[in-house]
Amino acid sequence: MAILVHRYDAPDRFVAGTVGQPGERTFFLQAREGNRITSVACEKQQVSVLAEHLDRVLDEVLRRSAGVVDVPPASSQARDTDPLDAPINEEFRVGTMTIAWDPSIDSIVIELFSNVDEDDSAEETTSAAAPSEPDEIDADEVFVVKITASYARDFVARAQALVAAGRPSCPFCLQPLDPHGHICPRANGYRMPLFD
């Protein structure tokens, strides 16, 4: 099966962003190179995990290279705070993500794979002549972005601010609170009020 690849080897911009109000936001990862824009939908948790792992990879690159590779320190202030570029057309919903450091170009390589329906993948597996490799990711589309260490640090700062700007978490179950409170599983189904 051929996979559709959206590749950005030197994007002008790669950011996480949202559309909608807190509690009803849709999260996107978006790259732009010239007039070409690719946007993929994802979960808030995926943005958070991507930022966390990018930070770890950059710290590890700095440690292993003993300062030879130019990796800026972590920052809490993003340089790019502009909204997502329009038009925002969702190419696919992100399932699996991979992150790697490519020392040949001193850049981070991020691969975002489409979320494949389990029913579809089960049908393909049973009808395939040979089983797929165990490490092979089953996806119809992949979004590949290569960014410098400096750009990755800026992405992390913006992503962390974006995630923190959402609804506050319940102090008991850590799930997001709605404006009217929420039914907290740790309170045995009773509605927990908002705290002032």
Side-chain angles (χ1 to χ4, degrees):
M1 175 173 83
I3 295 178
L4 177 59
V5 179
H6 307 274
R7 183 177 303 279
Y8 289 81
D9 291 332
D12 300 325
R13 186 176 195 222
F14 177 62
V15 294
T18 61
V19 174
Q21 297 299 315
E24 299 174 358
R25 296 188 296 175
T26 301
F27 285 78
F28 289 95
L29 297 170
Q30 184 183 75
R32 182 190 73 222
E33 191 174 303
N35 292 331
R36 188 168 65 109
I37 299 172
T38 300
S39 305
V40 294
C42 60
E43 299 296 328
K44 176 181 180 178
Q45 187 64 27
Q46 288 175 307
V47 172
S48 178
V49 167
L50 180 59
E52 179 184 328
H53 286 292
L54 278 173
D55 246 357
R56 281 192 203 156
V57 168
L58 292 169
D59 290 344
E60 187 63 16
V61 167
L62 183 61
R63 186 185 72 75
R64 286 189 182 192
S65 73
V68 172
V69 177
D70 184 24
V71 178
S75 172
S76 59
Q77 189 67 32
R79 291 180 297 219
D80 184 348
T81 57
D82 292 337
L84 293 171
D85 291 318
I88 302 170
N89 296 320
E90 178 184 325
E91 297 294 335
F92 61 84
R93 182 159 285 281
V94 175
T96 304
M97 302 183 294
T98 65
I99 303 168
W101 175 257
D102 186 343
S104 67
I105 57 172
D106 283 347
S107 293
I108 292 272
V109 179
I110 301 166
E111 295 176 323
L112 307 166
F113 295 88
S114 63
N115 196 5
V116 175
D117 227 3
E118 286 184 24
D119 293 340
D120 292 345
S121 62
E123 288 173 16
E124 289 171 14
T125 303
T126 56
S127 65
S132 60
E133 293 294 316
D135 293 339
E136 191 176 312
I137 297 171
D138 190 18
D140 297 333
E141 295 183 62
V142 63
F143 181 27
V144 180
V145 180
K146 297 177 183 179
I147 54 175
T148 63
S150 175
Y151 211 107
R153 286 289 197 204
D154 197 50
F155 176 90
V156 168
R158 178 183 170 120
Q160 289 173 337
L162 188 69
V163 169
R167 297 175 288 170
S169 298
C170 172
F172 301 109
C173 70
L174 302 178
Q175 292 182 9
L177 288 171
D178 292 326
H180 332 313
H182 80 121
I183 297 176
C184 180
R186 294 209 49 208
N188 202 19
Y190 288 97
R191 184 172 291 280
M192 299 301 295
L194 284 177
F195 297 95
D196 292 327

Short mmCIF file of all heavy atoms in Angstrom, two decimals, residues 157-183:
data_model
loop_
_atom_site.label_atom_id
_atom_site.label_comp_id
_atom_site.label_asym_id
_atom_site.label_seq_id
_atom_site.Cartn_x
_atom_site.Cartn_y
_atom_site.Cartn_z
N ALA A 157 8.32 25.67 23.58
CA ALA A 157 7.82 26.79 24.40
C ALA A 157 6.39 27.15 24.01
O ALA A 157 5.52 27.34 24.87
CB ALA A 157 8.73 28.01 24.25
N ARG A 158 6.12 27.20 22.72
CA ARG A 158 4.76 27.53 22.26
C ARG A 158 3.77 26.42 22.63
O ARG A 158 2.67 26.69 23.11
CB ARG A 158 4.75 27.74 20.74
CG ARG A 158 3.35 28.04 20.20
CD ARG A 158 3.34 28.18 18.70
NE ARG A 158 1.99 28.23 18.18
CZ ARG A 158 1.49 29.24 17.49
NH1 ARG A 158 2.22 30.30 17.23
NH2 ARG A 158 0.25 29.19 17.05
N ALA A 159 4.17 25.16 22.44
CA ALA A 159 3.29 24.03 22.74
C ALA A 159 2.96 23.97 24.23
O ALA A 159 1.80 23.73 24.61
CB ALA A 159 3.94 22.73 22.29
N GLN A 160 3.94 24.21 25.08
CA GLN A 160 3.69 24.18 26.52
C GLN A 160 2.74 25.30 26.95
O GLN A 160 1.85 25.09 27.77
CB GLN A 160 5.01 24.25 27.29
CG GLN A 160 5.82 22.99 27.18
CD GLN A 160 7.21 23.09 27.78
OE1 GLN A 160 7.77 24.19 27.93
NE2 GLN A 160 7.79 21.95 28.11
N ALA A 161 2.90 26.48 26.37
CA ALA A 161 2.00 27.59 26.67
C ALA A 161 0.59 27.30 26.18
O ALA A 161 -0.40 27.61 26.85
CB ALA A 161 2.52 28.88 26.03
N LEU A 162 0.49 26.67 25.02
CA LEU A 162 -0.81 26.31 24.44
C LEU A 162 -1.56 25.32 25.33
O LEU A 162 -2.74 25.48 25.60
CB LEU A 162 -0.57 25.70 23.06
CG LEU A 162 -1.77 25.43 22.18
CD1 LEU A 162 -2.38 26.74 21.72
CD2 LEU A 162 -1.35 24.59 20.99
N VAL A 163 -0.85 24.30 25.80
CA VAL A 163 -1.46 23.29 26.66
C VAL A 163 -1.88 23.90 28.00
O VAL A 163 -2.97 23.63 28.51
CB VAL A 163 -0.49 22.10 26.87
CG1 VAL A 163 -0.98 21.16 27.96
CG2 VAL A 163 -0.31 21.33 25.56
N ALA A 164 -1.03 24.78 28.56
CA ALA A 164 -1.32 25.40 29.86
C ALA A 164 -2.49 26.39 29.78
O ALA A 164 -3.12 26.69 30.80
CB ALA A 164 -0.08 26.11 30.37
N ALA A 165 -2.79 26.90 28.58
CA ALA A 165 -3.84 27.90 28.42
C ALA A 165 -5.24 27.30 28.42
O ALA A 165 -6.22 28.03 28.31
CB ALA A 165 -3.63 28.69 27.12
N GLY A 166 -5.36 26.01 28.55
CA GLY A 166 -6.66 25.35 28.52
C GLY A 166 -7.39 25.45 29.84
O GLY A 166 -7.06 26.25 30.71
N ARG A 167 -8.38 24.59 29.98
CA ARG A 167 -9.18 24.56 31.20
C ARG A 167 -8.33 24.12 32.39
O ARG A 167 -7.44 23.29 32.23
CB ARG A 167 -10.36 23.59 31.04
CG ARG A 167 -11.32 23.99 29.96
CD ARG A 167 -12.38 22.94 29.77
NE ARG A 167 -11.79 21.76 29.11
CZ ARG A 167 -12.41 20.60 28.97
NH1 ARG A 167 -13.62 20.44 29.45
NH2 ARG A 167 -11.83 19.60 28.36
N PRO A 168 -8.64 24.64 33.58
CA PRO A 168 -7.91 24.17 34.77
C PRO A 168 -8.26 22.71 35.07
O PRO A 168 -9.32 22.23 34.68
CB PRO A 168 -8.41 25.09 35.88
CG PRO A 168 -9.71 25.62 35.40
CD PRO A 168 -9.64 25.65 33.90
N SER A 169 -7.36 22.03 35.75
CA SER A 169 -7.57 20.63 36.09
C SER A 169 -8.23 20.49 37.45
O SER A 169 -8.01 21.29 38.36
CB SER A 169 -6.23 19.88 36.13
OG SER A 169 -5.62 19.92 34.87
N CYS A 170 -9.03 19.45 37.61
CA CYS A 170 -9.65 19.11 38.89
C CYS A 170 -8.54 18.74 39.87
O CYS A 170 -7.64 17.95 39.52
CB CYS A 170 -10.61 17.94 38.70
SG CYS A 170 -11.28 17.27 40.24
N PRO A 171 -8.56 19.27 41.08
CA PRO A 171 -7.49 18.95 42.03
C PRO A 171 -7.53 17.49 42.51
O PRO A 171 -6.55 17.01 43.06
CB PRO A 171 -7.75 19.91 43.19
CG PRO A 171 -9.18 20.30 43.06
CD PRO A 171 -9.52 20.22 41.61
N PHE A 172 -8.64 16.79 42.27
CA PHE A 172 -8.76 15.41 42.74
C PHE A 172 -8.43 14.39 41.67
O PHE A 172 -7.69 13.45 41.91
CB PHE A 172 -10.18 15.17 43.28
CG PHE A 172 -10.54 16.09 44.40
CD1 PHE A 172 -11.46 17.10 44.22
CD2 PHE A 172 -9.93 15.97 45.64
CE1 PHE A 172 -11.78 17.96 45.24
CE2 PHE A 172 -10.23 16.83 46.67
CZ PHE A 172 -11.17 17.83 46.48
N CYS A 173 -9.00 14.54 40.45
CA CYS A 173 -8.81 13.53 39.41
C CYS A 173 -7.93 14.01 38.26
O CYS A 173 -7.58 13.25 37.38
CB CYS A 173 -10.16 13.06 38.86
SG CYS A 173 -11.02 14.31 37.87
N LEU A 174 -7.59 15.31 38.26
CA LEU A 174 -6.74 15.93 37.25
C LEU A 174 -7.35 16.01 35.86
O LEU A 174 -6.68 16.37 34.91
CB LEU A 174 -5.37 15.24 37.19
CG LEU A 174 -4.60 15.23 38.50
CD1 LEU A 174 -3.29 14.48 38.33
CD2 LEU A 174 -4.36 16.62 39.02
N GLN A 175 -8.64 15.68 35.71
CA GLN A 175 -9.31 15.86 34.43
C GLN A 175 -9.70 17.33 34.29
O GLN A 175 -9.88 18.03 35.28
CB GLN A 175 -10.56 14.98 34.36
CG GLN A 175 -10.25 13.51 34.30
CD GLN A 175 -11.50 12.66 34.18
OE1 GLN A 175 -12.60 13.18 33.97
NE2 GLN A 175 -11.33 11.36 34.31
N PRO A 176 -9.85 17.83 33.05
CA PRO A 176 -10.20 19.24 32.86
C PRO A 176 -11.58 19.56 33.43
O PRO A 176 -12.50 18.77 33.33
CB PRO A 176 -10.20 19.41 31.34
CG PRO A 176 -9.61 18.18 30.77
CD PRO A 176 -9.66 17.12 31.79
N LEU A 177 -11.67 20.74 34.04
CA LEU A 177 -12.94 21.21 34.60
C LEU A 177 -13.73 21.96 33.54
O LEU A 177 -13.18 22.77 32.80
CB LEU A 177 -12.69 22.14 35.78
CG LEU A 177 -12.18 21.52 37.07
CD1 LEU A 177 -11.78 22.60 38.05
CD2 LEU A 177 -13.24 20.62 37.67
N ASP A 178 -15.03 21.70 33.49
CA ASP A 178 -15.92 22.49 32.65
C ASP A 178 -16.26 23.77 33.40
O ASP A 178 -16.05 23.86 34.61
CB ASP A 178 -17.21 21.70 32.36
CG ASP A 178 -16.95 20.49 31.48
OD1 ASP A 178 -16.07 20.60 30.61
OD2 ASP A 178 -17.62 19.46 31.67
N PRO A 179 -16.83 24.78 32.72
CA PRO A 179 -17.18 26.01 33.42
C PRO A 179 -18.14 25.80 34.59
O PRO A 179 -18.14 26.56 35.54
CB PRO A 179 -17.83 26.87 32.34
CG PRO A 179 -17.27 26.36 31.07
CD PRO A 179 -17.03 24.89 31.28
N HIS A 180 -18.95 24.72 34.57
CA HIS A 180 -19.91 24.46 35.64
C HIS A 180 -19.38 23.43 36.63
O HIS A 180 -20.14 22.91 37.43
CB HIS A 180 -21.23 23.94 35.08
CG HIS A 180 -21.54 24.38 33.69
ND1 HIS A 180 -21.43 25.68 33.26
CD2 HIS A 180 -21.94 23.69 32.60
CE1 HIS A 180 -21.76 25.76 31.98
NE2 HIS A 180 -22.06 24.57 31.56
N GLY A 181 -18.12 23.04 36.56
CA GLY A 181 -17.60 21.94 37.37
C GLY A 181 -17.67 20.66 36.54
O GLY A 181 -17.85 20.70 35.33
N HIS A 182 -17.52 19.51 37.18
CA HIS A 182 -17.63 18.24 36.45
C HIS A 182 -17.94 17.11 37.42
O HIS A 182 -17.80 17.26 38.63
CB HIS A 182 -16.35 17.97 35.65
CG HIS A 182 -15.22 17.41 36.45
ND1 HIS A 182 -14.65 16.21 36.14
CD2 HIS A 182 -14.58 17.86 37.55
CE1 HIS A 182 -13.69 15.95 37.02
NE2 HIS A 182 -13.63 16.94 37.87
N ILE A 183 -18.35 16.00 36.87
CA ILE A 183 -18.62 14.84 37.71
C ILE A 183 -17.29 14.12 37.89
O ILE A 183 -16.72 13.57 36.95
CB ILE A 183 -19.67 13.92 37.07
CG1 ILE A 183 -20.99 14.69 36.97
CG2 ILE A 183 -19.84 12.65 37.89
CD1 ILE A 183 -22.09 13.95 36.26
#
